[in-house]
Amino acid sequence: MKKDYVSIGLLGLGTVGSGVVQLVENHQDELVHQLGCGVKVKSILVRNTEKERDIQIGQTFLTSNPDDVLQDPEIDLVVEVMGGIEEAKEHITKAIQAKKNVVTANKDLIALHGPELQKAAVENGVDLFYEASVGGGIPILRGLTEGLVSDRLKKVMGIVNGTTNYILTKMEEEGQSYETALKKAQELGFAEADPTADVEGLDAARKMAILARLAFSTSVALDDVEVEGISKLSLEDLHYGQKLGYSMKLIGFAQVDDHKVEVTVQPTFLSKSHPLSSVKNEYNAIYVQGEAVGETMFYGPGAGSLPTATAVMADVVAVIKNLLLGVNGKSAVAPRYESVLKSPKERFGQFYFRLHLADEVGAFSQITTLFNELGISFEKILQTPLNKGELAEIIIVTHTVSLENFQEALMKLRDLSVVKDVISYYRVEGNGEK
Ligand code: NAP
Ligand code: HSE
């Protein structure tokens, strides 16, 4: 197929859509050089065609009728950057049925319905690409599916939500309260319209489901991801973590052993020597461990107009190259394995926990006896007197232990009369223990 230009249609002209329009306009030379033809935005679906826009765009490009994009025979490629789930799914399905290729930045939709949409795309001989759904401008999905394709990947660990990383950085480094830091992240535009998905870990969980599927070729569903957010974190724990040489991060963690997976999103104390601990503010990074490649890390802006638009445009270029070669719908690879989750017995890690203990003779030895019985040993211990010496605040970091044993230890700990309260516990990563 030889063309002077390829016409694309956009669903949405917000933060990401505006960036796409700007890149198409301002980087046309680069696109022509890569493709041998130009790229034109033909029409754009918006909610309100009269709204004032951050970019200059002729009124004739805008429409509030989806069919102007989805049923236009001149449009070969639909870029969905409107967000939301049901309506976006309906439009993408319609585009696929009309044999149009689709590029989307919609992590919410791909995490929930990616596999069925991908199947429909293959059946209709079109591409469905979604690089921008994880890590904004970081080319992580192609990193996994092309750069590291020949390897057997074992672990993917990432900071995949910019809002929570911004909040945690400001709490740790500037002592800001959670509320102040969240408000600032909202003002700066990283947070979702309703930031609950950011702070409760759901946004990161959606991204981790997508990463785990591609990294391990496994049909991981969103419900397979165990999620805990950062809204209940206290400054006290962050300070103790700092004293012990850790940074607190909301970590997405995915690991596979014998085709069984573990995928979690949880606040995690990271050793300051781990490369992810130096990722600050709204930046994202994804650390990948493979049998052959060893350790790699992908770092960059996880959100924002132009960074996210570069990921969208990478997909646009890939679709157009396939169009020119006549091979659309042929590159998607279905998962090789059904998702089987590891049991707590098969999951291992180090843990930090904080408790209040009666400050009396023999109290601490009751704790050590309990942990000894479960084969758990301690790596670090901190003790501070509380309430004029009546209580002691104890912070313990365990050596590597199975999740099953750690959970049992916590349960038994709560039954000891000398233990007044178990305040908090978090996973610890990056101490160099396997
Ligand atoms: P946004 O700024 O809220 O823009 C959404 C756009 O879609 C607006 O132009 C809006 O029209 C249009 N739209 C929304 N619902 C519509 C509907 N029902 N019918 C017609 N038009 C509709 O969103 P965004 O931040 O660009 O995000 C877009 C997508 O990219 C989302 O899936 C998001 O998760 C994903 N993403 C965003 C980022 C980021 O940094 N923002 C990063 C990675 C991925 P009006 O302009 O008329 O209101
Ligand atoms: N709210 C998201 C974040 C935007 O903070 O990472 C990018 O997906």
Side-chain angles (χ1 to χ4, degrees), residues 115 118-119 122 213-214 216-219 331-337:
Q118 191 74 74
K119 189 164 171 271
V122 170
R213 271 177 209 157
L214 296 177
F216 311 142
S217 195
T218 306
S219 60
S331 55
V333 179
R336 189 167 171 198
Y337 306 104

Side-chain angles (χ1 to χ4, degrees), residues 353 355-372 378 380-384 392-397 413 416 418-419:
F353 61 98
L355 55 92
H356 286 171
L357 187 70
D359 202 355
E360 60 191 46
V361 177
F364 195 81
S365 78
Q366 289 191 42
I367 299 182
T368 47
T369 306
L370 190 164
F371 277 77
N372 277 343
F378 300 154
K380 292 177 182 173
I381 301 168
L382 266 183
Q383 175 166 350
T384 317
E393 182 154 70
I394 310 277
I395 287 95
I396 294 176
V397 178
L413 203 54
L416 291 180
V418 289
V419 172

